[in-house]
Structure formats: structure tokens, C-alpha cells
Amino acid sequence: MPKAMDVEDLLIWAFRDQKIDLVAAAMRPKGPSGASHSSLAEMLMLGTKVDTTSAGARHFAVHCHEDAAVIYDAVMALPPEAWMFVIKHAKSATQPDWHEEGPGEWVVPKDKHGEPRKLWADPAKKTGFLGYQAAELVGTNPVHVEESRRAYAVWRAALVDLVPLLNAEMVDHEAIGPGARPEPWAG
């Protein structure tokens, strides 16, 4: 009977605990010998086949769960921006920050009378009016909040997309969820 886990927890298990991305990188052929046309050229030049995968990498892969490899393949099938967010947050067991406090506000500085603060050429004599002091941002830049929330939405959509892909291939696990809310800032 497959063990049901939230897809986010499965990703953490695969990338942080099983270190599947490191296993995959260790198993990938290095340099030009990874290309099919250069393997033949290398054999002709050296007179022998060169094994580009280290024994250490093969040993590490033996200890990596088969479902972790399924998770890795499914994640890497996502668009690059999505898999980047998924892997980053799975490795650190975090969720993208969506700025619960919301976007900051642009506030016009006021003087002691509650009027917009004036700029003077000679502040001591208050002569030579230059205009009003520019508005200042109080809180988080709204553009940064918007970008962060878009990143959260991409990350969560990737989790949703992964569930059926993982369940079609995994042997010992079943992906459920995600438990992460779609737009936590909306309610």
C-alpha cells in the first residue's frame, strides 16, 4: 500500500533527504564524452570505452529510493522557472515568501502642522520655496510583493501539476495535496 504524503513533503524528502539532484548530477556524463557522437570518437582515439560515471556516484544511487528518481524526472519536466522554485524550496523545506504584510504605501512626509513638508532654498529662513518633499515608501515595495506572489503562484501551480505525474509512476508513495493554499494573501 503506497504511503500518502503531501506533494510538498515528497519534494522535500526527494531533494533534501534523498539528495536526488546530486545523485542525478553525479550520474550524468561529464564533458564532451556525454554526447553520442563524441563517445565513438573517444573510443577510436583511445582504443577503449571510457566509463564516465564514478563508482561513488553509482554507490550513492543504489541508496537512493526509486520514487525519488521519479520525482526528479517529473520536476525536471516542468518549465525551468517552475522547477527552479520547486527545487530551491524543497531543498530548504520552505515556501516562497508572499509578504503577508502586503505591499507598502507611498506616504508624503508631513510637517508638525500635518501639512505636506516643504523644501526651501534656505531652510533656516524658510525662503526660496522649491516644492514639496517627495513621497517615501513605507513598507515593502509593491513591485517586490507582486513578484514574490507571482513566484508563489508558479511554485504552487507546479505542485498541483506534479501530483498526477508522480502518482502515475511512484511505487511506494502517493502524492496528495498540495496543502499550501492557492492565494494565502487573498483571505
Side-chain angles (χ1 to χ4, degrees):
M1 181 89 189
K3 179 181 178 183
M5 290 177 69
D6 186 284
V7 64
E8 188 177 353
D9 293 331
L10 276 169
L11 291 163
I12 292 167
W13 169 77
F15 285 94
R16 186 192 66 188
D17 303 339
Q18 294 286 307
K19 298 180 181 8
I20 189 60
D21 57 325
L22 299 177
V23 172
M27 298 298 289
R28 195 175 304 120
K30 306 287 188 265
S33 64
S36 60
H37 67 278
S38 63
S39 294
L40 179 59
E42 189 175 68
M43 274 183 57
L44 292 172
M45 183 175 71
L46 298 174
T48 184
K49 184 177 185 301
V50 177
D51 184 7
T52 58
T53 305
S54 71
R58 286 191 302 275
H59 176 75
F60 196 18
V62 168
H63 297 293
C64 188
H65 194 284
E66 178 184 349
D67 285 352
V70 170
I71 293 168
Y72 178 81
D73 288 342
V75 168
M76 297 313 292
L78 296 169
E81 182 183 36
W83 63 252
M84 179 190 71
F85 289 138
V86 167
I87 292 172
K88 173 185 173 184
H89 291 287
K91 284 177 146 189
S92 60
T94 60
Q95 293 182 350
D97 185 14
W98 48 269
H99 297 282
E100 184 175 0
E101 73 282 1
E105 296 178 344
W106 291 95
V107 178
V108 176
K110 307 280 185 183
D111 64 16
K112 60 184 174 183
H113 303 294
E115 298 294 320
R117 192 172 294 149
K118 296 178 181 178
L119 298 173
W120 303 99
D122 184 354
K125 295 180 183 176
K126 294 194 178 187
T127 58
F129 177 68
L130 300 173
Y132 294 100
Q133 188 169 339
E136 298 172 347
L137 178 62
V138 176
T140 307
N141 189 318
V143 172
H144 183 67
V145 172
E146 183 180 328
E147 289 172 357
S148 296
R149 290 179 177 181
R150 188 192 65 74
Y152 180 95
V154 167
W155 169 81
R156 187 179 182 286
L159 298 185
V160 170
D161 290 346
L162 283 169
V163 171
L165 296 173
L166 298 177
N167 288 337
E169 299 289 328
M170 288 192 302
V171 176
D172 294 331
H173 296 87
E174 177 188 358
I176 58 172
R181 296 182 308 176
E183 291 182 347
W185 56 89

